[in-house]
Amino acid sequence: MGVVQEKSVITVELPQNPYDVVIAPGGLDHLGAWILDHGKQRKLGKKMLLVSNPSVFDLYGQRAIASLEQAGFDVAYHLIPDGEPHKTLASVEGIYDAAYAHRMERSSAIVALGGGIIGDMSGFAAATWLRGIQFIQVPTSLLAMVDASIGGKTGVNHPLGKNLIGAFHQPRLVLIDPQMLDTLPVREFRAGMAEVIKYGVIWDADLFEQLDATADLSEYAAVPVSLLQTILLRSCQAKAIVVSKDEKEAGLRAILNYGHTIGHAIESITGYTAVTHGEAVAMGMVAAGEIAVQLGMWSKALSDRQTALIRKAGLPAHSPAGLDHDQLVTLLQADKKVEDGKVRFILPTGIGTVEIVNEVSADVVRHVLRQIEA
Ligand code: GLY
């Protein structure tokens, strides 16, 4: 077993299902032992189904399985091809087939080894197989580490929209091994950095300042190891606190959607392929910042600081060329976060503070879209 130099544990304090997020470089080799150590209040059987995609499995699958077997688990694995087009009910049926073949029981668990897509699908399969079995998140992308793996949102896409089918199902344990970021494609690293910047703006002014004071945030190799540990810790702490206070997104949790209102619309218009989720969120944060400036809630100076940070992370601060503004405004009305027909924006009021604003006129949105055009 490899040596772990630093192990941080954050607890997501949910009354029914509290669970730990463990951040530890080299932690992958301790996966099996830590599954046993954490979440002891839930009875766990021996059967485990590891779900991954071929590229992640090639890199880390055997180490994960070895660690699980060393801890006494009986492990089968199931691979799903990489990418958003595979985030479907049909792929989840493949997980069910593997669970059936492995004779999984109520006390069995699914281990998700991969990015947000693998985590969301595995979690949904775990939420529904035998009316709910346990699952463990081992996120391998920065975005999944700081956002998707924590909080229990699971699901798949419907042909008419992203993540329209899903369930809240909290994991037993989230294990984050930052060393796995070493093999993450640079564009994916940047996508995750968009969510990290998000936490700085909506929740953690000190994190924002630390990011601001760093010369280069655009790739794994450029970020000092100690800062990376801080980034993961502070981001996961922010997410854990928000989820603990509002598990089912009745109020506060909506602030995690900062940058996502316009971001989702851009992703949808560009077909979920041209722009990564993180890039769309980056553009959405720039737009939200400028909307807040228009509404007198935020200063132009702070909005410019946010834009500079986004650029420093190698992320786009302009909307894609040729974006159809009418289509975007129409799409905003169809977003699943619309309530009573009102588009909800999360808008900054400082560094580390935001407000949920339900009425932003289409005129202001159009004005800002013109402003941030490439
Ligand atoms: N990614 C937003 C949330 O988990 O609520």
Side-chain angles (χ1 to χ4, degrees):
M1 237 187 260
V3 179
V4 169
Q5 284 120 30
E6 195 172 346
K7 181 183 178 193
S8 309
V9 180
I10 299 158
T11 302
V12 183
E13 303 279 4
L14 291 170
Q16 305 288 332
N17 299 305
Y19 58 93
D20 290 338
V21 177
V22 174
I23 304 171
L28 181 64
D29 296 318
H30 300 256
L31 174 63
W34 291 349
I35 288 173
L36 293 173
D37 284 354
H38 296 264
K40 280 189 175 139
Q41 75 279 13
R42 292 153 91 179
K43 181 178 171 283
L44 188 64
K46 290 281 171 218
K47 301 255 182 188
M48 289 256 164
L49 178 65
L50 181 94
V51 178
S52 191
N53 67 43
S55 47
V56 169
F57 189 82
D58 275 357
L59 291 164
Y60 302 112
Q62 291 309 335
R63 269 175 67 196
I65 289 174
S67 169
L68 291 168
E69 287 182 343
Q70 246 171 37
F73 293 110
D74 172 12
V75 189
Y77 70 88
H78 176 73
L79 304 185
I80 300 172
D82 210 356
E84 198 72 32
H86 297 283
K87 194 177 174 185
T88 60
L89 278 177
S91 294
V92 172
E93 275 179 37
I95 304 178
Y96 295 150
D97 292 347
Y100 184 83
H102 194 43
R103 299 179 189 282
M104 300 275 280
E105 299 165 2
R106 265 271 173 81
S107 61
S108 306
I110 291 179
V111 178
L113 176 72
I117 295 174
I118 288 295
D120 281 10
M121 284 197 289
S122 306
F124 186 65
T128 45
W129 186 248
L130 303 181
R131 298 199 178 87
I133 62 174
Q134 296 183 55
F135 92 113
I136 290 109
Q137 289 270 25
V138 187
T140 57
S141 71
L142 180 58
L143 194 141
M145 288 178 184
V146 298
D147 183 25
S149 66
I150 306 166
K153 279 190 182 175
T154 73
V156 295
N157 299 333
H158 181 274
L160 295 176
K162 209 178 158 181
N163 293 334
L164 289 181
I165 306 162
F168 284 98
H169 190 59
Q170 301 294 342
R172 175 192 177 96
L173 169 71
V174 180
L175 171 59
I176 296 174
D177 180 345
Q179 286 175 355
M180 290 199 272
L181 294 174
D182 191 23
T183 51
L184 187 70
V186 68
R187 200 169 169 198
E188 294 301 317
F189 182 80
R190 293 173 182 179
M193 201 49 85
E195 302 282 355
V196 172
I197 294 170
K198 176 189 83 176
Y199 291 118
V201 177
I202 68 168
W203 193 261
D204 188 339
D206 188 56
L207 174 63
F208 186 96
E209 295 301 337
Q210 289 201 47
L211 296 172
D212 211 21
T214 305
D216 186 355
L217 296 167
S218 68
E219 54 182 325
Y220 173 75
V223 179
V225 173
S226 61
L227 178 68
L228 189 66
Q229 188 79 6
T230 304
I231 283 173
L232 291 169
L233 188 65
R234 303 293 283 254
S235 301
C236 293
Q237 275 168 341
K239 177 104 194 213
I241 294 170
V242 172
V243 168
S244 304
K245 289 179 189 287
D246 179 23
E247 182 183 4
K248 302 275 170 73
E249 202 170 308
L252 177 73
R253 186 165 177 169
I255 69 170
L256 300 175
N257 296 322
Y258 175 57
H260 288 58
T261 310
I262 285 180
H264 276 160
I266 290 175
E267 275 186 283
S268 168
I269 291 173
T270 54
Y272 299 104
T273 46
V275 177
T276 65
H277 176 68
E279 288 163 356
V281 168
M283 296 170 193
M285 290 194 292
V286 174
E290 286 300 313
I291 290 172
V293 173
Q294 289 295 317
L295 299 184
M297 297 169 63
W298 215 30
S299 70
K300 182 69 183 149
L302 289 181
S303 181
D304 288 347
R305 272 183 86 193
Q306 174 186 254
T307 301
L309 198 48
I310 284 168
R311 289 219 172 92
K312 195 162 63 174
L315 288 159
H318 285 108
S319 59
L323 187 73
D324 182 334
H325 295 180
D326 289 332
Q327 194 187 1
L328 191 140
V329 170
T330 307
L331 260 178
L332 289 181
Q333 300 289 340
D335 194 279
K336 68 177 177 308
K337 287 161 186 97
V338 165
E339 248 182 62
D340 298 331
K342 288 177 187 148
V343 181
R344 188 171 58 189
F345 275 93
I346 315 303
L347 299 178
T349 52
I351 296 291
T353 54
V354 280
E355 261 177 34
I356 301 173
V357 177
N358 280 320
E359 279 170 87
V360 176
S361 75
D363 283 351
V364 170
V365 174
R366 282 176 205 281
H367 175 84
V368 163
L369 286 174
R370 280 194 298 275
Q371 217 181 315
I372 68 162
E373 234 164 5

